Amino acid sequence: MAKITYITDDNKDHTIEVQNGLTVMEGAVQNDIPGIDADCGGGMACATCHVYVKDEWFNKIPKKEDGEEDMLDMAFEPKKNSRLSCQIVVSDELDGLTVNIPSKQG
Amino acid sequence: MIKTDALIIGAGPTGLFTAHQLKLIGLSCEIVDNLDKIGGQCIELYPDKPIYDIPAVPECTGEELTNNLIDQIKPFNIKFHLGERVDQVKKEADNWNVKTSNGTIFQTPNVIIAGGVGSFEPRKFPVKECEKFENQSLFYSIKDKKIFEGKTVSIFGGGDSALDWAVELSKNSKVNLIHRRDEFRGAQATVDKVHQLAKEGKINLLTKYQMTAIKGENRLESIDIKSDDKEFKTLKTDYVLGFFGLIMQLGPIANWGLNMDKKTIEVDTEKFETNQKGIYAVGDICSYPGKLKLILSGFHEGALAARACFKLARPNEKYRFEFTTSSKTIKERLGVKSD
């Protein structure tokens, strides 16, 4: 279990507890947090679950695997701290993780 | 105007198998899809990715699955309308009047929406002012490459489309190729070619840059780009091309008077009918308690929606359930020999 904070584009905080094993994307979708579309359902095939990970967390979470950076090319306004939230699996170590949701997914 | 017993919107796996089921029970149908090819997400998003949960198929790629489904409906000679988006669905007496972006008009008692997450549209630049130049000096696809001759073209993107066009247009135009990082995801041979052309000064390669502004009064004059290290550049350019792949947009479906739940359409689980009589939704786009977004679920939903179509298309006939293994009529429709 980890407390994860999603900050939407209108600067609202949504802090929820997400079970270990779920992804940060699933945590958002299951709790109706706006701004994460996840069109492909977690297949790393659409880049519509794009988030910005707070700098202090970016190096702590598991690294990107092959293909994620390719998909991020298609994301809306990608930055250095961009990730696809469907590729971040929640564990106790992620307790306190904060991600910003971009203004659009595409 | 085309008259058909059923119109399917979406040529993904669910749409294809639904067409199979309609033809098997003796109904006519046609398929419309906004993509220029058959296969939907399977072909656009993951043609090479293996799928492991199609019943009786231990492993196949999105492309193989699509090709098998196309093979399966081959006996029926189904008409596809590709590169057309359904824009309007209107009630007209006992029929639906359906109009596409190309002006094709269908008259049908049954519309089956197998639209996945909506229609695929090009992903656009985040810079809002880009809209002003769209289809005049800013494009997301190329129809006539001649207009670029002797001009400066700034191409954005890191995949095959961006790279192929950079190589092609560098023959007769001044090309800037701008990408957000150093690595490209296109074919290695094309990536090598781009680097070679950059060395020869035929392509101006700018990596780790993204567009921040687009400027021009009546016509496009320049763009501003910014690097990861916050370094700004202004590029004079006649044209801008963006190749960021496709994104799924729900589009006009939202205007058809259907009960929606977020981006999905609510249906019953007997006919997969929406709140509008004669409009059905199957596959990823439909929602009902317990809905699973699996290809196999789409097949089941399509099979039931097809039976529901029979009632409206043949109001004076009774639908009789038959097995493909034993029905002479079905075998005739399939063009196979009866025992």
Side-chain angles (χ1 to χ4, degrees), chain A residues 32 43 46 69-70 73, chain B residues 49 123 180-181 185 262:
Chain A
D32 290 325
C46 73
E69 197 68 65
D70 285 351
D73 280 352
Chain B
K49 282 193 187 170
R123 288 174 204 255
R180 63 174 275 263
R181 58 190 174 116
R185 58 179 194 281
K262 285 183 199 159

Side-chain angles (χ1 to χ4, degrees), chain B residues 8 13-15 17-22 25 112 114 271-272 280-283 286 295-309:
Chain B
I8 299 172
T14 299
F17 191 69
T18 305
H20 176 269
Q21 292 293 297
L22 286 162
I25 62 174
I112 303 180
K271 303 176 187 168
F272 293 88
Y280 313 82
V282 292
C286 75
I295 291 171
L296 78 92
S297 309
F299 291 163
H300 161 79
E301 292 150 11
L304 284 173
R307 268 73 188 179
C309 289

Side-chain angles (χ1 to χ4, degrees), chain B residues 60-311:
Chain B
C60 72
T61 64
E63 188 177 10
E64 285 162 353
L65 181 80
T66 302
N67 288 337
N68 282 340
L69 284 160
I70 293 172
D71 269 355
Q72 200 167 13
I73 58 172
K74 215 163 238 162
F76 303 127
N77 267 323
I78 291 165
K79 175 112 173 83
F80 285 87
H81 303 263
L82 299 175
E84 290 187 53
R85 187 177 76 175
V86 172
D87 281 344
Q88 214 179 60
V89 176
K90 264 196 190 153
K91 187 89 196 166
E92 207 169 66
D94 289 337
N95 283 302
W96 292 100
N97 183 288
V98 181
K99 203 169 157 190
T100 75
S101 50
N102 289 17
T104 313
I105 297 173
F106 299 90
Q107 192 187 59
T108 179
N110 297 296
V111 176
I112 303 180
I113 304 170
V117 193
S119 57
F120 282 97
E121 315 270 346
R123 288 174 204 255
K124 303 192 169 176
F125 285 98
V127 177
K128 187 133 195 347
E129 291 72 33
C130 285
E131 283 172 19
K132 196 172 116 189
F133 299 100
E134 208 176 310
N135 295 325
Q136 283 160 22
S137 41
L138 182 147
F139 301 94
Y140 296 104
S141 64
I142 293 180
K143 289 199 178 82
D144 178 13
K145 67 177 181 186
K146 284 203 189 87
I147 61 169
F148 305 115
E149 276 176 21
K151 307 281 186 185
T152 303
V153 186
S154 300
I155 303 175
F156 287 80
D160 282 312
S161 304
L163 300 176
D164 287 345
W165 280 114
V167 170
E168 174 62 27
L169 296 180
S170 70
K171 292 171 191 162
N172 296 308
S173 316
K174 191 174 174 294
V175 170
N176 299 315
L177 177 61
I178 304 127
H179 183 42
R180 63 174 275 263
R181 58 190 174 116
D182 280 332
E183 291 104 68
F184 291 90
R185 58 179 194 281
Q188 194 53 49
T190 325
V191 176
D192 294 345
K193 180 87 185 159
V194 164
H195 281 297
Q196 189 202 324
L197 287 168
K199 241 186 225 165
E200 293 168 12
K202 287 178 181 147
I203 289 177
N204 181 22
L205 185 60
L206 296 148
T207 55
K208 298 192 176 175
Y209 279 95
Q210 294 184 68
M211 191 204 284
T212 54
I214 186 161
K215 289 169 185 164
E217 280 306 317
N218 296 316
R219 47 174 308 172
L220 174 61
E221 282 158 22
S222 67
I223 50 171
D224 290 349
I225 57 173
K226 190 175 98 175
S227 75
D228 283 355
D229 310 316
K230 309 240 175 341
E231 186 195 335
F232 280 91
K233 269 186 206 288
T234 298
L235 302 174
K236 284 213 172 333
T237 193
D238 300 302
Y239 290 102
V240 169
L241 301 173
F243 297 107
F244 307 111
L246 301 174
I247 189 165
M248 292 170 279
Q249 304 277 11
L250 189 61
I253 293 174
N255 310 326
W256 300 344
L258 306 173
N259 286 348
M260 311 280 302
D261 174 15
K262 285 183 199 159
K263 289 176 173 178
T264 58
I265 304 168
E266 291 171 1
V267 292
D268 66 61
T269 50
E270 182 195 348
K271 303 176 187 168
F272 293 88
E273 197 167 33
T274 65
N275 57 311
Q276 301 280 0
K277 194 180 172 199
I279 301 186
Y280 313 82
V282 292
D284 284 0
I285 203 160
C286 75
S287 77
Y288 53 86
K291 165 68 186 169
L292 276 179
K293 286 195 182 189
L294 287 178
I295 291 171
L296 78 92
S297 309
F299 291 163
H300 161 79
E301 292 150 11
L304 284 173
R307 268 73 188 179
C309 289
F310 191 92
K311 271 191 189 145

